[in-house]
Amino acid sequence: MTTTGEDHVPARGGPWWWDRRRGAVLDVSLGAVSALECAAEGVPFARDAGIPLAVGVLFGLLAGSVLVVRRRWPIAVVLVAIAVTPAEMGFLMGVVGLYTLAASELPRRIIGSLAGMSLLGTLIVTFVRLRQDMARDGVDLGDWFLPFASIATSLGLTAPPLLLGLYVGQRRRLMESLRERADSLERELQLLAERAEERAEWARGEERTRIAREMHDVVAHRVSLMVVHAAALQAVARKDPEKAVKNAALVGDMGRQALTELREMLGVLRSGGSGARAARASVPLAAVGVAAAAAASRAAGEGESDGPCLSELDELVGQSEATGMVVDLSVEGEERVYAAEVEATAFRVVQEALTNVHKHAAGAKTYVRLAHRVSEIAMQVENEPPPEAATSARLPSGGNGLVGMKERVAALGGVFVSGPTDAGGFRVSAVIPAS
């Protein structure tokens, strides 16, 4: 397989069944040498068989040239070599044919059968020829020499090419297996890299969403109150100077708190610039998310606690009442301490709901209900329709407040519902598991 996952296709640069030209050249050269060898050995064969010399030479040429097709039909080459063994020709063809047969992908039983036939044929021909030569020359070397020489000759012509072919074939298959494993591993690594990139992109998106939600919670409430106080300041500046001074002080305090929280988050954003360029791609988002959460947790408590908690609801309601909003807070059930993320989420829901009342229903009476139950905590913020004479502070809305509240509650396995009431107001309700 290639790095893109496509199958390897051999580059067929040679004619017919050869994959490469050098393979074709090698086989043609071996076939030519084998043909010349068999043609030369065809001369004594024709003389002994009593046939014309030209027939013996032509027979040798045809038999030896079969070696050209050794890659395509190795069985045919070995069978021809076995067939011409009695004529004492085709030794090169037999050796190369056995090697090619053993290195091929043919079943082992076929390779073993043909190798045994070649061994037996060589053994019989060698035994007969040696016996005839010894009888003709009157040589007597003992009864042991003839079997020993026959067996040694047949093994010498059969075993080495057979073993070498088996080794080369096994090594070739091993290399192909390793190549396939490497390609498979490369594909798996590529898929893992793609999945890791997808997870990293998803994580970056989630982190950006969390940062945006935290910054919205930190800034939106205080800035909304600042705008409301500024509008009230403009209305009473000449009629009630004392109240105007009080409103101006509140605006200043809230502005300083908002600037402090923004400065903390922006400071974390800038901290990766000079000293940690190498980690710029991964550290800032996570770090800013942590810093944003920390800053958001100090939004309602002026930096004195680790995070917003339900005990600060009175202060939160007081800030809204200071702008002239009528807020009715009621708490049901036995108060107890919840996990930090549960209390922070409940506080943020009430905070964002009050901010929305400032934005869209200025002057409307608002009811805040908090219920401590056995396994959950429920909250509801409902406002009446705003009075017709109420002046709007013209606060901008990005449409992300309700989405952020729903995401916070859903992250803890809770339920969030919001929508207009029959009386013309608006209601925000949430239920969060206590554990």
Side-chain angles (χ1 to χ4, degrees):
M1 303 291 286
T2 61
T3 56
T4 59
E6 299 177 352
D7 290 337
H8 281 298
V9 178
R12 302 191 65 87
W16 295 329
W17 58 83
W18 287 285
D19 295 333
R20 299 178 182 178
R21 291 186 179 274
R22 64 181 183 182
V25 172
L26 175 61
D27 289 354
V28 171
S29 301
L30 289 175
V33 174
S34 177
L36 292 176
E37 176 204 351
C38 291
E41 293 167 345
V43 175
F45 168 71
R47 186 182 303 115
D48 295 340
I51 61 176
L53 186 62
V55 175
V57 173
L58 180 61
F59 175 75
L61 287 174
L62 293 176
S65 61
V66 176
L67 192 58
V68 175
V69 298
R70 70 182 184 94
R71 297 178 191 265
R72 187 66 178 271
W73 296 294
I75 296 179
V77 174
V78 175
L79 289 176
V80 172
I82 295 173
V84 299
T85 299
E88 293 188 77
M89 64 173 61
F91 295 104
L92 176 63
M93 181 170 55
V95 171
V96 177
L98 280 176
Y99 164 81
T100 306
L101 179 70
S104 66
E105 301 292 336
L106 292 171
R108 293 295 178 87
R109 63 178 182 275
I110 297 179
I111 297 175
S113 299
L114 292 176
M117 292 171 59
S118 177
L119 176 66
L120 182 60
T122 306
L123 177 64
I124 295 174
V125 172
T126 304
F127 182 85
V128 172
R129 286 294 183 182
L130 282 177
R131 185 175 182 179
Q132 291 176 353
D133 293 341
M134 291 176 62
R136 184 180 62 249
D137 297 336
V139 178
D140 186 9
L141 298 178
D143 296 336
W144 61 271
F145 177 76
L146 191 59
F148 173 78
S150 301
I151 294 174
T153 303
S154 58
L155 286 176
L157 293 175
T158 305
L162 181 66
L163 295 177
L164 180 61
L166 291 174
Y167 167 76
V168 172
Q170 186 64 28
R171 185 176 181 274
R172 184 184 301 154
R173 287 187 288 272
L174 176 62
M175 295 301 294
E176 291 176 356
S177 176
L178 292 177
R179 186 182 298 110
E180 290 177 358
R181 291 184 181 180
D183 292 336
S184 177
L185 179 60
E186 186 175 359
R187 289 196 305 273
E188 292 179 2
L189 290 177
Q190 186 175 0
L191 290 176
L192 289 176
E194 293 175 357
R195 292 177 182 175
E197 182 62 27
E198 292 176 359
R199 289 194 295 268
E201 185 62 29
W202 176 83
R204 285 193 291 267
E206 289 293 316
E207 196 64 29
R208 284 192 292 267
T209 301
R210 191 167 76 94
I211 293 171
R213 186 169 59 244
E214 297 291 350
M215 294 185 69
H216 177 273
D217 292 340
V218 167
V219 179
H221 183 70
R222 294 194 186 280
V223 173
S224 298
L225 293 179
M226 288 172 59
V227 175
V228 173
H229 280 296
L233 176 62
Q234 182 179 5
V236 302
R238 295 182 179 180
K239 299 179 182 179
D240 192 348
E242 183 178 351
K243 188 174 182 180
V245 171
K246 183 178 179 181
N247 287 340
L250 288 174
V251 171
D253 291 341
M254 293 181 182
R256 283 189 290 271
Q257 291 171 5
L259 286 175
T260 299
E261 293 157 2
L262 279 176
R263 189 179 297 113
E264 290 178 359
M265 285 183 285
L266 294 177
V268 175
L269 279 173
R270 296 175 181 274
S271 64
S274 58
R277 292 180 181 271
R280 182 178 298 176
S282 58
V283 173
L285 281 178
V288 172
V290 174
S297 67
R298 293 193 293 269
E302 299 183 9
E304 294 180 359
S305 60
D306 294 335
C309 55
L310 295 176
S311 61
E312 300 173 359
L313 279 182
D314 291 333
E315 181 181 354
L316 180 66
V317 171
Q319 292 176 355
S320 296
E321 290 177 338
T323 64
M325 178 189 295
V326 179
V327 183
D328 182 10
L329 173 64
S330 64
V331 180
E332 301 176 1
E334 183 180 356
E335 296 185 7
R336 61 182 186 273
V337 178
Y338 300 92
E341 59 270 15
V342 173
E343 295 209 10
T345 300
F347 181 90
R348 294 302 184 197
V349 169
V350 177
Q351 183 187 55
E352 181 60 28
L354 292 176
T355 302
N356 288 340
V357 175
H358 286 295
K359 290 181 180 180
H360 307 292
K365 185 175 181 180
T366 305
Y367 301 91
V368 178
R369 302 287 183 265
L370 185 67
H372 299 276
R373 299 172 183 171
V374 177
S375 59
E376 60 187 16
I377 178 172
M379 64 227 65
Q380 177 178 290
V381 179
E382 180 180 349
N383 63 274
E384 298 178 351
E388 297 180 358
T391 58
S392 174
R394 297 180 181 178
L395 291 170
S397 176
N400 296 319
L402 295 176
V403 175
M405 284 190 283
K406 186 174 182 180
E407 290 176 350
R408 282 181 176 275
V409 174
L412 297 179
V415 179
F416 177 84
V417 179
S418 64
T421 62
D422 296 336
F426 199 84
R427 181 187 298 116
V428 173
S429 302
V431 179
I432 305 174
S435 56

